[in-house]
Amino acid sequence: MSFEIPDDCRFLDSHEWARREDSTVRIGVSDFAQDELGDVVFVELPAEGDAVTAGEDFGVIESIKAVSDLYAPVSGTVVAVNDDLVDAPELVNEDPYGDGWMVDVEIDDESELDGLLSPDEYDDQIA
Amino acid sequence: MSDDPTDPDAGDDGSGTLGYQQARWTDSADRYEPLLSEKDTTEVDVGGDDSPLPDDLTRDSLELPGLSEPELARHYTRLSQMNYGVESGPFPLGSCTMKYNPKFTEDVVALPDGAVHPDRPDESVQGTLAVMAGLQDYLGRIGGMDAVTLQPPAGAAGEYAGILIAKAYHEAQGEDRTEVVVPDSAHGTNFASAALAGYDVVELPSAEDGRVDLDALDAAVGEDTAALMLTNPNTLGLFERDIETVAGIVHDAGGLLYYDGANLNALLGRARPGDMGFDIMHYNVHKTFATPHGGGGPGAGPVGVKADLAPFLPRPHVRAQPDGTGYERYEPDHSVGKVHGFEGNWLVLLKAYAYIARLGDPGLADASAKAVLNANYLATQLDYEVPFGPFHHEFVASAGDQDAADVAKRMLDYGVHPPTTKWPEIVGEALMTEPTEIESKRTLDQLAAAFDAVAGEDDATLDAAPSETSATRIDQVAAARNPRLSWQALGDEE
């Protein structure tokens, strides 16, 4: 089974992705993660203005199979939250890199992105 | 009658499975037995100008169910027919110890002397206090503990109380320990109890044989360790053979050993946690001593401790008066306070007392022997592989290429309750099975026949199951995404 791994994303080995947008970094979970989790029923996210720290949990994702922490790929301040996930957590399953995004972060240290797994490295990990 | 061998309604095919079709009461194609509020209602006039309350807090009429007594009785009987319990058939839900609760315990708690107001003075309730002290003594002797509190209202509440006692003990020693170590195969409540008490939870990986990994334990335990929480036999049904070494490692580091009483049914009358080095334990009286499983109702989870920890027990505690004239309630010197009111849910505890007294030492030892024998016999009859052993009162089979949750749903069609599924995760597609001591060989054979019938079926059959039950496939995703938690939400849009 092959999973979508966009070229413009970088990854944590815990299956979160980070993608540089115009002035922020957008964060979500990978196609592989949503498939492993199964039907997502609940996502708990931080509020705008909250700080997130690379490698530490910033939220919770719950599927009918499991409850997992969400880990931040980068450190920074949350500037936007995908409120659509409150009523439609299935967006994480349907479009993990698009409408299923979780938070936008104003990043503290641009170089943190470089320390994440490249698409190829992530592909190797889940292969 | 069908000739289809996969049809549970088919005639006797010699397989030994039960023919089964559950009652299904409906008032329409898509609605089960309606709620009382959905049945006939009557508008009742409750108006009147004599209320001193403001008008916006009063009303003139009420909608009340307009049912006759027989309609009410039928409603509840129908609901019970659409349910499945240990009085319907075998209920081998692993780790939950769903043993049958003998009816004589109901007679005992129905005695008028059983229910006394908890605020009555000690001298007027000496008989009740004597039975409480007697139960504390029974439980202490069964677990190898020096003092027992009856107050916690559930097994998980007992865990929490036990960890609070450990915390208070360490603080009294002037020590600030921050971690509780829990094996990865432990019951989820262990992690929760430790976290709720403010500890960081350190998860301990299991060794290849499914037991505690001593090297990993050695590495995990240190000066920050407040306690190790363990159940023995563990959740795979395996006895922790190195328990004395485990206790030594934890005690040498200054930590305490906590026993999760969930699996005590395997040890009754044969081995005692206190003798293995455990310092604190809770008793799941609903598992081991045949009181009702709670499900949110009144429950009990007594906690036993070694003598050093007795001063930290919740208040009030019951004891024989030092002068030997009777019994009294008192506050232990360094009590952690209250974890529930009074002496806990007393009538539940009284059932445990009655059960223990009725069985006595030989009966309790016989119960554990049969619990272990039944699990081992059943496992030998199954086509599913059981990767870990030798096990005691429960075993974890693997559904292999089948989905364990689908296996469970299909087993319902054969008139048996399925095992616990998909846990512990150390076994792939786990079928965690605990028949308990109550089942006869005939019932165990029926259970095995149901397991084996499902083991031989294809995925399409499993995916479509259950079909013989009152409720069939539940849409778990919709239920989780759009929970309707009150009857008042019944009319809500999807």
Side-chain angles (χ1 to χ4, degrees):
Chain A
M1 192 158 189
S2 83
F3 296 99
E4 188 188 352
I5 302 177
D7 288 340
D8 58 354
C9 293
R10 299 187 75 85
F11 297 85
L12 273 183
D13 53 13
S14 52
H15 311 292
E16 291 83 0
W17 55 261
R19 183 173 61 218
R20 158 104 356 253
E21 309 267 289
D22 290 338
S23 62
T24 58
V25 169
R26 180 158 281 192
I27 295 171
V29 299
S30 72
D31 188 24
F32 174 83
Q34 69 79 19
D35 186 74
E36 282 286 298
L37 283 165
D39 291 299
V40 175
V41 296
F42 181 68
V43 183
E44 183 181 319
L45 297 174
E48 280 180 38
D50 285 357
V52 298
T53 306
E56 294 190 7
D57 58 289
F58 71 93
V60 176
I61 186 165
E62 181 176 344
S63 75
I64 57 166
K65 281 200 244 169
V67 180
S68 306
D69 284 332
L70 293 163
Y71 294 95
V74 293
S75 304
T77 306
V78 176
V79 293
V81 177
N82 187 358
D83 291 328
D84 291 345
L85 299 184
V86 174
D87 288 326
E90 59 270 26
L91 291 173
V92 175
N93 295 114
E94 292 164 4
D95 192 6
Y97 300 106
D99 291 342
W101 68 280
M102 291 175 176
V103 292
D104 283 339
V105 171
E106 207 164 74
I107 192 168
D108 291 342
D109 176 1
E110 195 70 31
S111 69
E112 273 185 352
L113 271 177
D114 301 330
L116 300 172
L117 297 174
S118 70
D120 282 346
E121 288 168 332
Y122 183 65
D123 194 16
D124 286 345
Q125 191 206 297
I126 63 175
Chain B
M1 284 283 182
S2 155
D3 290 331
D4 179 354
T6 63
D7 178 358
D9 285 342
D12 185 3
D13 58 1
S15 70
T17 56
L18 290 164
Y20 181 67
Q21 189 165 31
Q22 194 169 36
R24 183 182 304 163
W25 294 93
T26 62
D27 71 340
S28 61
D30 60 353
R31 196 166 73 160
Y32 300 127
E33 169 71 9
L35 300 179
L36 289 179
S37 59
E38 296 170 317
K39 295 198 173 200
D40 190 26
T41 55
T42 305
E43 184 102 4
V44 180
D45 182 11
V46 294
D49 297 320
D50 51 350
S51 170
L53 293 171
D55 285 347
D56 59 339
L57 293 180
T58 60
R59 51 190 161 187
D60 296 326
S61 67
L62 267 180
E63 286 264 332
L64 292 175
L67 301 174
S68 65
E69 182 173 326
E71 285 175 306
L72 191 67
R74 286 171 191 159
H75 172 71
Y76 287 110
T77 301
R78 289 173 181 183
L79 291 182
S80 77
Q81 289 171 334
M82 290 164 65
N83 201 352
Y84 186 98
V86 75
E87 292 178 20
S88 313
F91 207 122
L93 196 64
S95 221
C96 297
T97 317
M98 307 299 286
K99 66 166 85 168
Y100 170 81
N101 299 335
K103 296 288 180 247
F104 81 91
T105 59
E106 301 289 345
D107 295 338
V108 172
V109 300
L111 295 171
D113 289 346
V116 298
H117 195 285
D119 269 333
R120 277 174 54 175
D122 291 354
E123 60 269 24
S124 75
V125 289
Q126 283 294 303
T128 303
L129 295 181
V131 179
M132 288 175 177
L135 179 57
Q136 291 173 186
D137 177 57
Y138 282 171
L139 292 174
R141 281 159 52 197
I142 289 168
M145 293 288 153
D146 298 317
V148 175
T149 174
L150 304 177
Q151 192 178 70
E159 274 183 43
Y160 178 59
I163 293 298
L164 287 183
I165 290 167
K167 192 171 192 173
Y169 170 79
H170 288 305
E171 284 172 1
Q173 309 284 313
E175 294 191 6
D176 180 25
R177 293 174 177 257
T178 55
E179 294 178 352
V180 168
V181 182
V182 183
D184 56 6
S185 64
H187 296 110
T189 45
N190 291 180
F191 302 87
S193 299
L196 197 61
Y199 284 111
D200 295 328
V201 181
V202 178
E203 187 172 318
L204 194 65
S206 301
E208 278 186 11
D209 68 355
R211 296 182 174 85
V212 170
D213 184 329
L214 291 178
D215 292 335
L217 179 69
D218 217 13
V221 167
E223 61 184 14
D224 290 330
T225 304
L228 168 71
M229 300 181 81
L230 206 60
T231 185
N232 192 16
N234 67 21
T235 54
L236 291 168
L238 310 179
F239 192 81
E240 296 286 356
R241 295 173 183 142
D242 298 319
I243 186 62
E244 285 184 321
T245 311
V246 168
I249 291 171
V250 175
H251 287 153
D252 286 349
L256 296 170
L257 206 56
Y258 184 94
Y259 181 80
D260 173 346
N263 293 348
L264 186 64
N265 209 44
L267 302 182
L268 279 179
R270 292 167 191 283
R272 309 194 307 170
D275 299 333
M276 299 175 199
F278 287 95
D279 304 293
I280 311 172
M281 69 178 288
H282 75 269
Y283 303 80
N284 292 106
V285 292
H286 60 285
K287 298 181 181 181
T288 320
F289 303 115
T291 67
H293 284 244
V303 171
V305 296
K306 290 288 181 63
D308 288 353
L309 297 161
F312 301 93
L313 289 176
R315 67 180 159 83
H317 192 64
V318 176
R319 68 178 172 194
Q321 281 167 328
D323 62 9
T325 56
Y327 295 88
E328 66 180 5
R329 285 175 275 210
Y330 75 106
E331 177 168 350
D333 290 345
H334 305 289
S335 174
V336 295
K338 286 176 182 288
V339 295
H340 196 65
F342 303 101
E343 288 77 38
N345 289 319
W346 170 237
L347 291 183
V348 176
L349 292 155
L350 184 55
K351 289 181 181 177
Y353 181 91
Y355 179 82
I356 294 170
R358 177 84 166 242
L359 265 63
D361 286 328
L364 293 174
D366 187 53
S368 59
K370 285 181 176 146
V372 173
L373 179 66
N374 280 359
N376 278 269
Y377 172 73
L378 179 61
T380 64
Q381 301 302 301
L382 298 194
D383 292 340
Y384 290 114
E385 184 200 359
V386 181
F388 291 99
F391 47 82
H392 286 250
H393 64 302
E394 67 186 354
F395 60 87
V396 184
S398 172
D401 294 335
Q402 292 177 318
D403 183 296
D406 290 338
V407 168
K409 288 184 168 69
R410 180 58 175 160
M411 284 181 72
L412 297 170
D413 282 340
Y414 290 100
V416 303
H417 197 283
T420 298
T421 59
K422 306 228 181 198
W423 188 83
E425 290 167 359
I426 188 169
V427 173
E429 300 302 329
L431 300 169
M432 186 191 211
T433 311
E434 181 182 11
T436 82
E437 69 273 18
I438 65 163
E439 304 300 354
S440 64
K441 177 173 178 297
R442 175 181 162 74
T443 307
L444 293 171
D445 287 338
Q446 284 172 338
L447 197 48
F451 269 103
D452 290 346
V454 178
E457 292 179 331
D458 58 28
D459 287 347
T461 306
L462 267 54
D463 285 347
S467 59
E468 306 302 315
T469 48
S470 57
T472 52
R473 278 265 162 171
I474 306 287
D475 187 344
Q476 289 174 286
V477 177
R481 284 180 181 160
N482 302 299
R484 283 180 278 176
L485 304 177
S486 152
W487 62 269
Q488 288 159 314
L490 277 175
D492 290 1
E493 292 298 312
E494 289 279 325

